[in-house]
PDB file of all heavy atoms in Angstrom:
ATOM      1  N   LYS A 262     115.773 104.309  94.289  1.00  0.00           N
ATOM      2  CA  LYS A 262     115.449 102.922  94.607  1.00  0.00           C
ATOM      3  C   LYS A 262     116.630 101.967  94.238  1.00  0.00           C
ATOM      4  O   LYS A 262     116.346 100.931  93.593  1.00  0.00           O
ATOM      5  CB  LYS A 262     114.165 102.468  93.885  1.00  0.00           C
ATOM      6  CG  LYS A 262     112.983 103.409  94.142  1.00  0.00           C
ATOM      7  CD  LYS A 262     112.297 103.106  95.454  1.00  0.00           C
ATOM      8  CE  LYS A 262     111.413 104.247  95.882  1.00  0.00           C
ATOM      9  NZ  LYS A 262     110.973 104.196  97.244  1.00  0.00           N
ATOM     10  N   ASP A 752      77.341  90.630  86.576  1.00  0.00           N
ATOM     11  CA  ASP A 752      76.012  91.067  86.106  1.00  0.00           C
ATOM     12  C   ASP A 752      76.040  92.172  85.143  1.00  0.00           C
ATOM     13  O   ASP A 752      75.264  92.221  84.173  1.00  0.00           O
ATOM     14  CB  ASP A 752      75.200  91.382  87.361  1.00  0.00           C
ATOM     15  CG  ASP A 752      74.792  90.200  88.185  1.00  0.00           C
ATOM     16  OD1 ASP A 752      74.316  89.234  87.595  1.00  0.00           O
ATOM     17  OD2 ASP A 752      75.008  90.225  89.368  1.00  0.00           O
ATOM     18  N   ARG A 790      87.983  95.570  91.066  1.00  0.00           N
ATOM     19  CA  ARG A 790      86.999  94.533  91.241  1.00  0.00           C
ATOM     20  C   ARG A 790      87.011  93.530  90.058  1.00  0.00           C
ATOM     21  O   ARG A 790      86.788  92.376  90.168  1.00  0.00           O
ATOM     22  CB  ARG A 790      85.596  95.126  91.453  1.00  0.00           C
ATOM     23  CG  ARG A 790      84.674  94.119  92.082  1.00  0.00           C
ATOM     24  CD  ARG A 790      83.278  94.683  92.289  1.00  0.00           C
ATOM     25  NE  ARG A 790      82.524  93.919  93.231  1.00  0.00           N
ATOM     26  CZ  ARG A 790      81.865  92.788  92.875  1.00  0.00           C
ATOM     27  NH1 ARG A 790      81.932  92.444  91.608  1.00  0.00           N
ATOM     28  NH2 ARG A 790      81.127  92.086  93.727  1.00  0.00           N
ATOM     29  N   ASP A 847     102.891 100.336  87.679  1.00  0.00           N
ATOM     30  CA  ASP A 847     103.238 100.009  89.114  1.00  0.00           C
ATOM     31  C   ASP A 847     103.181  98.543  89.216  1.00  0.00           C
ATOM     32  O   ASP A 847     102.137  97.969  89.488  1.00  0.00           O
ATOM     33  CB  ASP A 847     102.231 100.740  90.007  1.00  0.00           C
ATOM     34  CG  ASP A 847     102.186 100.169  91.393  1.00  0.00           C
ATOM     35  OD1 ASP A 847     103.177  99.698  91.928  1.00  0.00           O
ATOM     36  OD2 ASP A 847     101.091 100.171  92.005  1.00  0.00           O
TER      37      ASP A 847
ATOM     38  N   LYS B 243      68.868  88.101  93.976  1.00  0.00           N
ATOM     39  CA  LYS B 243      70.012  87.185  94.093  1.00  0.00           C
ATOM     40  C   LYS B 243      69.611  85.931  94.874  1.00  0.00           C
ATOM     41  O   LYS B 243      70.437  85.505  95.753  1.00  0.00           O
ATOM     42  CB  LYS B 243      71.148  87.913  94.742  1.00  0.00           C
ATOM     43  CG  LYS B 243      71.611  89.187  94.046  1.00  0.00           C
ATOM     44  CD  LYS B 243      72.482  88.988  92.853  1.00  0.00           C
ATOM     45  CE  LYS B 243      72.473  90.199  91.975  1.00  0.00           C
ATOM     46  NZ  LYS B 243      73.080  90.029  90.681  1.00  0.00           N
ATOM     47  N   ASP B 733     106.636 103.331 101.394  1.00  0.00           N
ATOM     48  CA  ASP B 733     107.406 104.586 101.521  1.00  0.00           C
ATOM     49  C   ASP B 733     106.575 105.766 102.107  1.00  0.00           C
ATOM     50  O   ASP B 733     107.095 106.550 102.875  1.00  0.00           O
ATOM     51  CB  ASP B 733     107.957 104.944 100.149  1.00  0.00           C
ATOM     52  CG  ASP B 733     109.086 104.025  99.716  1.00  0.00           C
ATOM     53  OD1 ASP B 733     109.961 103.772 100.559  1.00  0.00           O
ATOM     54  OD2 ASP B 733     109.106 103.500  98.624  1.00  0.00           O
ATOM     55  N   ARG B 771      95.697  99.281  96.723  1.00  0.00           N
ATOM     56  CA  ARG B 771      97.121  99.054  96.815  1.00  0.00           C
ATOM     57  C   ARG B 771      97.591  98.686  98.220  1.00  0.00           C
ATOM     58  O   ARG B 771      98.501  97.877  98.425  1.00  0.00           O
ATOM     59  CB  ARG B 771      97.914 100.172  96.189  1.00  0.00           C
ATOM     60  CG  ARG B 771      99.325  99.788  95.864  1.00  0.00           C
ATOM     61  CD  ARG B 771     100.105 100.996  95.259  1.00  0.00           C
ATOM     62  NE  ARG B 771     101.389 100.563  94.634  1.00  0.00           N
ATOM     63  CZ  ARG B 771     102.471 100.251  95.278  1.00  0.00           C
ATOM     64  NH1 ARG B 771     102.505 100.271  96.609  1.00  0.00           N
ATOM     65  NH2 ARG B 771     103.574  99.902  94.580  1.00  0.00           N
ATOM     66  N   ASP B 828      80.611  95.085  99.929  1.00  0.00           N
ATOM     67  CA  ASP B 828      80.677  94.148  98.760  1.00  0.00           C
ATOM     68  C   ASP B 828      81.673  93.056  99.081  1.00  0.00           C
ATOM     69  O   ASP B 828      82.819  93.225  98.931  1.00  0.00           O
ATOM     70  CB  ASP B 828      81.078  95.012  97.535  1.00  0.00           C
ATOM     71  CG  ASP B 828      81.678  94.176  96.442  1.00  0.00           C
ATOM     72  OD1 ASP B 828      81.190  93.038  96.178  1.00  0.00           O
ATOM     73  OD2 ASP B 828      82.612  94.644  95.762  1.00  0.00           O
TER      74      ASP B 828
END
Side-chain angles (χ1 to χ4, degrees):
Chain A
K262 306 278 163 194
D752 289 311
R790 198 179 194 280
D847 160 34
Chain B
K243 306 277 163 193
D733 289 311
R771 198 178 194 282
D828 160 34

